[in-house]
Amino acid sequence: MRNYILFCTCLAAASAAASPDSVQQRIHSAPFGRAGDQSVQIFTLTNARGIEARVMTYGATLVSLQTPDRQGHLKNIILGFDTLQPYLDGVPYFGATVGRFANRIAHGRFTLDGKSYQLALNNGANSLHGGNRGFDKRVWQAQPIDTPAGAALRLTYMSPAGEEGYPGELKAQVTYRLNDDDSLAIDYEATTLAPTPVNLTNHAYFNLTGDPGQSILGHVLTINADRFAPVDATLIPTGELRPVAGTPFDFQQPRVVGSRIGDEDEQLRIGRGYDHYWVLNKKDSASLTLAAVLTDPGSGRVVEVRTTQPGVQFYSGNFLDGKPVGSGSAFKHRTGLCLETQHFPDSPNQPAFPSTILRPGQLYTQKTLLIFRAS
Ligand code: BGC
Protein backbone atom coordinates (compact mmCIF):
# COMPACT_ATOMS: atom_id res chain seq x y z
CA MET A 1 0.00 0.00 0.00
CA ARG A 2 1.23 3.44 -0.79
CA ASN A 3 2.27 5.47 2.17
CA TYR A 4 1.43 9.09 1.45
CA ILE A 5 3.84 11.48 3.06
CA LEU A 6 1.67 14.53 3.22
CA PHE A 7 3.14 17.87 3.99
CA CYS A 8 1.49 18.54 7.30
CA THR A 9 1.59 21.66 9.41
CA CYS A 10 5.26 21.34 10.31
CA LEU A 11 6.37 21.07 6.69
CA ALA A 12 3.90 23.70 5.54
CA ALA A 13 5.46 26.04 8.10
CA ALA A 14 8.91 25.21 6.79
CA SER A 15 7.80 26.23 3.31
CA ALA A 16 5.89 29.32 4.37
CA ALA A 17 7.79 31.42 1.84
CA ALA A 18 6.75 29.14 -1.01
CA SER A 19 4.39 30.05 -3.83
CA PRO A 20 0.75 28.92 -3.47
CA ASP A 21 1.48 26.03 -5.85
CA SER A 22 3.94 24.50 -3.45
CA VAL A 23 1.17 22.98 -1.35
CA GLN A 24 0.52 20.65 -4.30
CA GLN A 25 4.06 19.37 -4.22
CA ARG A 26 4.21 15.91 -2.80
CA ILE A 27 6.18 12.75 -2.36
CA HIS A 28 4.67 9.29 -2.11
CA SER A 29 6.60 6.30 -0.90
CA ALA A 30 5.96 2.60 -1.40
CA PRO A 31 7.84 -0.62 -0.68
CA PHE A 32 9.81 -1.83 -3.74
CA GLY A 33 11.08 -5.21 -2.60
CA ARG A 34 14.14 -6.48 -0.78
CA ALA A 35 17.85 -6.50 -1.56
CA GLY A 36 19.15 -9.30 0.66
CA ASP A 37 18.02 -8.46 4.18
CA GLN A 38 17.42 -4.79 3.38
CA SER A 39 14.07 -3.39 2.31
CA VAL A 40 13.99 -1.06 -0.66
CA GLN A 41 11.58 1.88 -0.99
CA ILE A 42 10.51 3.79 -4.04
CA PHE A 43 9.54 7.48 -3.84
CA THR A 44 7.40 9.33 -6.36
CA LEU A 45 8.03 13.06 -6.63
CA THR A 46 5.49 15.16 -8.54
CA ASN A 47 5.59 18.81 -9.49
CA ALA A 48 2.79 21.31 -10.02
CA ARG A 49 2.61 20.55 -13.77
CA GLY A 50 2.51 16.79 -13.36
CA ILE A 51 6.15 16.00 -14.10
CA GLU A 52 6.97 12.89 -12.11
CA ALA A 53 10.29 11.42 -10.97
CA ARG A 54 10.52 8.04 -9.24
CA VAL A 55 13.61 7.31 -7.18
CA MET A 56 14.42 4.09 -5.34
CA THR A 57 16.76 3.60 -2.43
CA TYR A 58 18.66 0.78 -4.20
CA GLY A 59 21.49 2.64 -5.91
CA ALA A 60 19.79 6.01 -5.21
CA THR A 61 18.40 5.26 -8.67
CA LEU A 62 16.20 7.40 -10.87
CA VAL A 63 13.74 4.71 -11.99
CA SER A 64 11.50 6.81 -14.25
CA LEU A 65 11.01 10.40 -15.28
CA GLN A 66 7.79 11.52 -16.95
CA THR A 67 7.85 14.76 -18.91
CA PRO A 68 5.37 16.29 -21.40
CA ASP A 69 5.75 16.39 -25.17
CA ARG A 70 4.64 19.43 -27.19
CA GLN A 71 1.00 18.32 -26.82
CA GLY A 72 1.41 17.99 -23.07
CA HIS A 73 1.42 14.17 -23.09
CA LEU A 74 3.52 12.73 -20.30
CA LYS A 75 5.85 9.81 -21.02
CA ASN A 76 8.81 8.20 -19.32
CA ILE A 77 12.03 9.55 -20.88
CA ILE A 78 14.61 7.25 -19.23
CA LEU A 79 15.28 3.51 -19.43
CA GLY A 80 14.25 1.56 -16.36
CA PHE A 81 12.08 -1.18 -14.84
CA ASP A 82 8.85 -1.30 -12.85
CA THR A 83 10.22 -3.92 -10.46
CA LEU A 84 13.40 -4.27 -8.41
CA GLN A 85 14.43 -7.74 -9.61
CA PRO A 86 16.08 -6.70 -12.91
CA TYR A 87 18.23 -4.19 -11.04
CA LEU A 88 19.29 -6.92 -8.59
CA ASP A 89 20.06 -9.27 -11.49
CA GLY A 90 22.34 -6.65 -13.03
CA VAL A 91 21.65 -3.73 -15.36
CA PRO A 92 24.25 -1.36 -16.86
CA TYR A 93 23.74 1.40 -14.27
CA PHE A 94 20.23 2.41 -15.43
CA GLY A 95 19.47 5.73 -13.68
CA ALA A 96 21.85 4.88 -10.86
CA THR A 97 24.02 7.08 -8.69
CA VAL A 98 27.52 5.99 -9.63
CA GLY A 99 30.43 6.07 -7.15
CA ARG A 100 32.79 6.05 -5.37
CA PHE A 101 34.48 6.89 -8.67
CA ALA A 102 32.46 7.21 -11.86
CA ASN A 103 34.09 6.11 -15.13
CA ARG A 104 37.33 4.17 -15.45
CA ILE A 105 40.50 3.99 -13.38
CA ALA A 106 43.32 2.37 -15.36
CA HIS A 107 44.24 -1.07 -14.08
CA GLY A 108 42.19 -0.20 -10.97
CA ARG A 109 45.36 1.24 -9.50
CA PHE A 110 46.40 4.61 -8.15
CA THR A 111 48.89 6.09 -5.71
CA LEU A 112 47.79 8.62 -3.12
CA ASP A 113 50.12 10.34 -0.64
CA GLY A 114 52.80 7.79 -1.51
CA LYS A 115 50.61 4.73 -0.90
CA SER A 116 49.38 2.42 -3.68
CA TYR A 117 45.83 1.17 -3.85
CA GLN A 118 44.39 -1.70 -5.87
CA LEU A 119 40.68 -1.54 -6.71
CA ALA A 120 38.43 -4.33 -7.90
CA LEU A 121 38.75 -4.85 -11.68
CA ASN A 122 35.31 -5.16 -13.25
CA ASN A 123 35.88 -3.89 -16.81
CA GLY A 124 38.63 -5.88 -18.45
CA ALA A 125 41.87 -4.59 -17.02
CA ASN A 126 40.20 -1.52 -15.50
CA SER A 127 37.91 -0.51 -12.69
CA LEU A 128 34.59 0.98 -13.85
CA HIS A 129 31.96 2.94 -11.92
CA GLY A 130 33.12 2.03 -8.41
CA GLY A 131 33.96 -1.65 -8.92
CA ASN A 132 32.05 -4.89 -8.49
CA ARG A 133 29.57 -3.48 -6.03
CA GLY A 134 29.63 0.27 -6.33
CA PHE A 135 27.17 2.83 -4.96
CA ASP A 136 24.64 1.74 -7.62
CA LYS A 137 24.27 -1.62 -5.83
CA ARG A 138 23.91 -0.32 -2.27
CA VAL A 139 20.76 0.52 -0.35
CA TRP A 140 20.75 4.20 0.60
CA GLN A 141 18.89 5.82 3.52
CA ALA A 142 16.18 8.17 2.30
CA GLN A 143 14.68 11.29 3.80
CA PRO A 144 11.90 13.20 2.03
CA ILE A 145 12.12 16.96 2.43
CA ASP A 146 9.99 19.90 1.39
CA THR A 147 11.58 23.01 -0.04
CA PRO A 148 10.04 26.20 -1.42
CA ALA A 149 11.18 25.23 -4.92
CA GLY A 150 9.88 21.67 -4.91
CA ALA A 151 9.67 18.32 -3.19
CA ALA A 152 13.00 16.64 -2.58
CA LEU A 153 14.45 13.32 -1.53
CA ARG A 154 17.81 13.15 0.22
CA LEU A 155 19.65 9.82 0.09
CA THR A 156 22.69 8.98 2.17
CA TYR A 157 25.19 6.14 1.98
CA MET A 158 28.12 5.41 4.31
CA SER A 159 30.84 3.69 2.33
CA PRO A 160 33.22 1.96 4.72
CA ALA A 161 37.01 2.32 4.46
CA GLY A 162 38.36 -0.36 2.13
CA GLU A 163 35.10 -0.92 0.26
CA GLU A 164 35.98 -2.03 -3.30
CA GLY A 165 39.58 -1.10 -2.38
CA TYR A 166 39.00 2.63 -1.76
CA PRO A 167 40.61 4.26 1.28
CA GLY A 168 38.67 6.09 3.99
CA GLU A 169 35.09 5.96 5.20
CA LEU A 170 33.08 8.20 2.89
CA LYS A 171 29.67 9.66 3.64
CA ALA A 172 27.92 10.32 0.34
CA GLN A 173 24.67 12.19 -0.11
CA VAL A 174 22.55 12.80 -3.18
CA THR A 175 19.45 14.98 -3.18
CA TYR A 176 16.90 14.92 -5.99
CA ARG A 177 14.64 17.98 -6.03
CA LEU A 178 11.82 18.19 -8.54
CA ASN A 179 11.11 21.87 -9.01
CA ASP A 180 7.87 23.52 -10.07
CA ASP A 181 9.81 25.34 -12.78
CA ASP A 182 10.06 21.95 -14.54
CA SER A 183 13.58 21.06 -13.57
CA LEU A 184 15.20 18.29 -11.57
CA ALA A 185 18.17 19.30 -9.43
CA ILE A 186 20.61 16.55 -8.44
CA ASP A 187 22.92 17.70 -5.66
CA TYR A 188 25.85 15.65 -4.44
CA GLU A 189 27.79 16.00 -1.19
CA ALA A 190 30.49 13.88 0.41
CA THR A 191 32.87 13.95 3.34
CA THR A 192 35.63 11.52 4.19
CA LEU A 193 37.68 10.32 7.14
CA ALA A 194 40.80 9.71 4.98
CA PRO A 195 41.98 11.04 1.59
CA THR A 196 40.18 9.31 -1.28
CA PRO A 197 39.28 9.89 -4.92
CA VAL A 198 35.59 10.79 -5.41
CA ASN A 199 33.62 11.20 -8.63
CA LEU A 200 29.83 10.95 -8.42
CA THR A 201 27.35 11.03 -11.28
CA ASN A 202 23.92 9.90 -12.38
CA HIS A 203 23.74 7.30 -15.14
CA ALA A 204 20.25 7.85 -16.62
CA TYR A 205 19.79 6.66 -20.21
CA PHE A 206 17.57 9.19 -21.99
CA ASN A 207 15.13 8.33 -24.73
CA LEU A 208 13.01 11.42 -25.18
CA THR A 209 10.57 9.71 -27.55
CA GLY A 210 9.07 8.06 -24.47
CA ASP A 211 9.22 4.75 -26.34
CA PRO A 212 12.21 2.64 -25.28
CA GLY A 213 11.81 0.55 -28.46
CA GLN A 214 12.93 3.51 -30.57
CA SER A 215 16.49 4.49 -31.38
CA ILE A 216 18.07 7.67 -30.00
CA LEU A 217 20.00 8.25 -33.23
CA GLY A 218 17.43 10.85 -34.36
CA HIS A 219 17.86 12.94 -31.22
CA VAL A 220 19.57 16.29 -31.67
CA LEU A 221 22.41 17.08 -29.28
CA THR A 222 24.42 20.15 -28.40
CA ILE A 223 27.45 19.86 -26.09
CA ASN A 224 29.03 23.06 -24.76
CA ALA A 225 32.59 21.85 -25.22
CA ASP A 226 35.36 22.60 -27.65
CA ARG A 227 37.60 19.71 -26.52
CA PHE A 228 37.17 16.02 -25.76
CA ALA A 229 39.39 13.33 -24.27
CA PRO A 230 40.49 10.66 -26.79
CA VAL A 231 40.83 7.17 -25.30
CA ASP A 232 43.03 4.12 -25.78
CA ALA A 233 41.74 0.69 -26.77
CA THR A 234 40.52 0.05 -23.20
CA LEU A 235 38.65 3.39 -23.06
CA ILE A 236 41.18 5.07 -20.74
CA PRO A 237 41.94 8.70 -21.71
CA THR A 238 45.31 9.07 -23.40
CA GLY A 239 45.82 12.41 -21.61
CA GLU A 240 45.38 14.45 -24.77
CA LEU A 241 42.53 16.99 -24.88
CA ARG A 242 41.70 17.27 -28.57
CA PRO A 243 39.77 20.11 -30.24
CA VAL A 244 36.40 18.82 -31.49
CA ALA A 245 36.37 21.22 -34.47
CA GLY A 246 36.26 19.37 -37.76
CA THR A 247 35.58 15.98 -36.11
CA PRO A 248 32.40 13.91 -35.50
CA PHE A 249 32.83 14.97 -31.86
CA ASP A 250 31.85 18.56 -32.62
CA PHE A 251 28.43 19.14 -31.02
CA GLN A 252 28.97 22.85 -30.44
CA GLN A 253 26.02 23.45 -32.76
CA PRO A 254 22.93 21.18 -32.56
CA ARG A 255 23.71 17.93 -34.44
CA VAL A 256 21.71 14.77 -35.07
CA VAL A 257 23.29 12.06 -32.87
CA GLY A 258 23.33 9.47 -35.65
CA SER A 259 24.53 11.74 -38.44
CA ARG A 260 28.26 11.03 -37.98
CA ILE A 261 28.28 8.05 -35.60
CA GLY A 262 29.19 5.67 -38.44
CA ASP A 263 32.00 7.86 -39.80
CA GLU A 264 35.40 6.35 -40.37
CA ASP A 265 37.06 7.68 -37.23
CA GLU A 266 39.51 5.94 -34.94
CA GLN A 267 37.87 7.25 -31.74
CA LEU A 268 34.37 6.25 -32.86
CA ARG A 269 35.74 2.82 -33.72
CA ILE A 270 37.35 2.37 -30.29
CA GLY A 271 34.22 3.58 -28.48
CA ARG A 272 31.89 1.61 -30.80
CA GLY A 273 30.22 4.99 -31.15
CA TYR A 274 30.30 7.86 -28.69
CA ASP A 275 31.68 6.88 -25.28
CA HIS A 276 33.93 9.83 -24.46
CA TYR A 277 34.47 12.71 -22.08
CA TRP A 278 33.85 16.28 -23.27
CA VAL A 279 35.56 19.12 -21.37
CA LEU A 280 32.99 21.86 -20.85
CA ASN A 281 33.69 25.47 -21.80
CA LYS A 282 33.64 27.12 -18.40
CA LYS A 283 34.51 30.60 -17.18
CA ASP A 284 35.20 29.42 -13.65
CA SER A 285 35.39 25.89 -12.40
CA ALA A 286 32.58 25.89 -9.82
CA SER A 287 29.82 27.68 -11.74
CA LEU A 288 26.64 25.97 -12.87
CA THR A 289 27.07 26.13 -16.64
CA LEU A 290 25.42 24.70 -19.70
CA ALA A 291 26.64 21.19 -20.48
CA ALA A 292 24.26 19.86 -23.12
CA VAL A 293 20.87 20.21 -24.76
CA LEU A 294 19.10 17.10 -26.01
CA THR A 295 16.02 17.32 -28.25
CA ASP A 296 13.71 14.76 -29.76
CA PRO A 297 12.33 16.45 -32.90
CA GLY A 298 9.38 14.01 -33.06
CA SER A 299 7.88 14.64 -29.63
CA GLY A 300 9.41 18.08 -29.12
CA ARG A 301 10.81 17.04 -25.71
CA VAL A 302 13.96 18.88 -24.69
CA VAL A 303 16.28 18.25 -21.76
CA GLU A 304 18.86 20.91 -20.97
CA VAL A 305 21.70 19.83 -18.70
CA ARG A 306 23.59 22.30 -16.53
CA THR A 307 26.30 21.35 -14.11
CA THR A 308 29.06 22.47 -11.78
CA GLN A 309 31.15 19.51 -12.97
CA PRO A 310 34.01 20.12 -15.42
CA GLY A 311 32.76 17.74 -18.11
CA VAL A 312 30.28 15.22 -19.42
CA GLN A 313 30.64 11.61 -20.58
CA PHE A 314 28.36 11.20 -23.60
CA TYR A 315 27.68 7.50 -24.05
CA SER A 316 25.43 6.55 -26.98
CA GLY A 317 24.23 3.22 -25.56
CA ASN A 318 26.66 1.23 -27.74
CA PHE A 319 26.74 -1.79 -25.45
CA LEU A 320 22.96 -2.16 -25.31
CA ASP A 321 22.52 -5.10 -27.63
CA GLY A 322 18.90 -6.19 -27.50
CA LYS A 323 19.59 -9.01 -25.06
CA PRO A 324 17.39 -8.85 -21.97
CA VAL A 325 19.08 -7.00 -19.16
CA GLY A 326 18.49 -8.15 -15.63
CA SER A 327 15.35 -10.30 -15.70
CA GLY A 328 13.52 -7.55 -17.52
CA SER A 329 12.90 -6.47 -21.05
CA ALA A 330 15.42 -6.13 -23.83
CA PHE A 331 16.85 -2.74 -24.62
CA LYS A 332 18.14 -2.61 -28.16
CA HIS A 333 21.36 -1.05 -29.41
CA ARG A 334 21.33 2.73 -28.94
CA THR A 335 17.83 3.02 -27.51
CA GLY A 336 19.16 5.20 -24.69
CA LEU A 337 21.98 7.71 -24.33
CA CYS A 338 23.73 8.97 -21.21
CA LEU A 339 24.96 12.46 -20.44
CA GLU A 340 26.98 11.74 -17.30
CA THR A 341 28.19 14.98 -15.75
CA GLN A 342 31.36 14.16 -13.88
CA HIS A 343 35.07 14.81 -13.30
CA PHE A 344 37.69 13.65 -15.81
CA PRO A 345 37.99 9.84 -16.11
CA ASP A 346 41.05 8.19 -14.58
CA SER A 347 41.97 11.45 -12.79
CA PRO A 348 43.92 9.69 -10.00
CA ASN A 349 46.45 8.57 -12.65
CA GLN A 350 46.46 11.70 -14.80
CA PRO A 351 48.42 14.55 -13.20
CA ALA A 352 47.30 17.03 -15.89
CA PHE A 353 43.60 16.50 -15.03
CA PRO A 354 41.95 18.43 -12.16
CA SER A 355 42.27 16.64 -8.83
CA THR A 356 39.44 14.42 -7.59
CA ILE A 357 41.00 13.81 -4.18
CA LEU A 358 38.78 14.60 -1.19
CA ARG A 359 40.52 15.07 2.15
CA PRO A 360 39.20 15.03 5.72
CA GLY A 361 37.66 18.40 6.62
CA GLN A 362 36.75 19.15 2.98
CA LEU A 363 33.22 19.06 1.60
CA TYR A 364 32.70 17.60 -1.87
CA THR A 365 29.76 19.32 -3.61
CA GLN A 366 28.50 19.05 -7.16
CA LYS A 367 25.20 19.97 -8.76
CA THR A 368 23.51 18.96 -11.98
CA LEU A 369 20.27 20.51 -13.16
CA LEU A 370 18.02 18.91 -15.77
CA ILE A 371 15.59 21.42 -17.30
CA PHE A 372 12.58 20.05 -19.17
CA ARG A 373 10.61 21.76 -21.92
CA ALA A 374 8.95 21.00 -25.24
CA SER A 375 9.43 22.85 -28.50
C1 BGC B 1 30.68 3.91 -19.92
C2 BGC B 1 30.49 2.81 -20.91
C3 BGC B 1 29.82 1.67 -20.21
C4 BGC B 1 28.50 2.16 -19.62
C5 BGC B 1 27.76 1.09 -18.88
C6 BGC B 1 29.35 4.32 -19.39
O1 BGC B 1 29.49 5.33 -18.45
O2 BGC B 1 31.35 5.02 -20.47
O3 BGC B 1 31.71 2.40 -21.47
O4 BGC B 1 29.58 0.61 -21.09
O5 BGC B 1 28.77 3.22 -18.75
O6 BGC B 1 28.54 0.44 -18.01
Side-chain angles (χ1 to χ4, degrees):
M1 199 190 85
R2 277 193 160 180
N3 166 28
Y4 283 77
I5 301 169
L6 291 172
F7 290 104
C8 57
T9 343
C10 46
L11 289 171
S15 60
S19 70
D21 285 350
S22 69
V23 290
Q24 293 166 11
Q25 294 162 359
R26 58 194 185 275
I27 307 178
H28 311 155
S29 85
F32 202 53
R34 297 189 75 78
D37 58 1
Q38 291 175 289
S39 62
V40 175
Q41 296 286 311
I42 190 161
F43 291 81
T44 304
L45 284 66
T46 318
N47 88 345
R49 299 212 320 140
I51 290 182
E52 181 199 276
R54 289 195 308 150
V55 178
M56 68 165 163
T57 53
Y58 184 77
T61 298
L62 194 53
V63 171
S64 64
L65 184 55
Q66 304 236 21
T67 70
D69 65 7
R70 64 168 72 87
Q71 261 95 45
H73 297 135
L74 291 165
K75 274 198 178 165
N76 179 21
I77 61 161
I78 61 170
L79 304 189
F81 297 97
D82 283 339
T83 60
L84 178 62
Q85 194 58 45
Y87 294 95
L88 299 178
D89 292 344
V91 296
Y93 307 93
F94 282 11
T97 298
V98 175
R100 187 178 295 200
F101 198 94
N103 218 312
R104 292 175 174 82
I105 294 183
H107 306 293
R109 269 201 301 271
F110 63 93
T111 302
L112 175 56
D113 296 341
K115 203 172 158 207
S116 294
Y117 295 90
Q118 179 65 59
L119 308 172
L121 303 181
N122 62 329
N123 189 248
N126 301 320
S127 177
L128 175 68
H129 293 334
N132 288 323
R133 203 172 155 217
F135 290 5
D136 60 298
K137 298 179 189 68
R138 308 281 173 180
V139 177
W140 296 55
Q141 298 305 311
Q143 187 199 351
I145 38 180
D146 192 16
T147 78
L153 185 70
R154 177 166 298 153
L155 298 121
T156 308
Y157 176 63
M158 295 290 281
S159 169
E163 185 178 72
E164 296 292 323
Y166 287 96
E169 179 180 293
L170 185 88
K171 182 181 178 189
Q173 193 173 280
V174 56
T175 305
Y176 292 93
R177 195 183 66 229
L178 184 61
N179 298 315
D180 276 337
D181 66 3
D182 294 354
S183 65
L184 179 70
I186 310 178
D187 286 277
Y188 304 89
E189 277 191 19
T191 52
T192 185
L193 297 184
T196 178
V198 182
N199 192 15
L200 304 178
T201 193
N202 179 275
H203 207 290
Y205 290 70
F206 294 102
N207 184 327
L208 305 189
T209 67
D211 173 2
Q214 284 193 41
S215 161
I216 47 75
L217 291 178
H219 284 32
V220 175
L221 178 64
T222 311
I223 304 180
N224 178 27
D226 57 21
R227 290 170 304 162
F228 80 107
V231 289
D232 70 14
T234 70
L235 302 183
I236 295 290
T238 59
E240 179 195 352
L241 298 179
R242 187 179 292 173
V244 295
T247 79
F249 291 79
D250 190 351
F251 285 91
Q252 294 180 96
Q253 300 300 321
R255 299 297 298 253
V256 175
V257 168
S259 62
R260 296 161 298 168
I261 203 166
D263 282 10
E264 190 46 55
D265 178 278
E266 192 204 15
Q267 284 299 314
L268 286 173
R269 189 172 43 74
I270 292 174
R272 303 193 195 182
Y274 296 106
D275 194 357
H276 295 78
Y277 186 79
W278 273 253
V279 182
L280 296 177
N281 301 330
K282 273 185 178 265
K283 287 203 182 70
D284 65 277
S285 59
S287 59
L288 187 71
T289 42
L290 179 70
V293 181
L294 184 66
T295 304
D296 168 39
S299 67
R301 289 193 185 86
V302 179
V303 175
E304 181 177 317
V305 183
R306 295 187 195 168
T307 190
T308 58
Q309 304 255 31
V312 61
Q313 180 86 10
F314 163 38
Y315 167 55
S316 51
N318 314 313
F319 295 107
L320 298 174
D321 58 5
K323 293 201 192 99
V325 280
S327 54
S329 40
F331 288 102
K332 284 187 279 178
H333 194 221
R334 297 182 178 153
T335 52
L337 68 82
C338 304
L339 295 165
E340 308 160 40
T341 54
Q342 57 187 252
H343 256 263
F344 290 56
D346 193 36
S347 300
N349 295 308
Q350 305 251 5
F353 290 174
S355 172
T356 48
I357 303 303
L358 182 70
R359 295 182 180 277
Q362 295 178 334
L363 177 66
Y364 167 98
T365 55
Q366 295 291 349
K367 183 190 195 75
T368 291
L369 189 66
L370 306 178
I371 300 168
F372 311 114
R373 52 176 186 269
S375 62

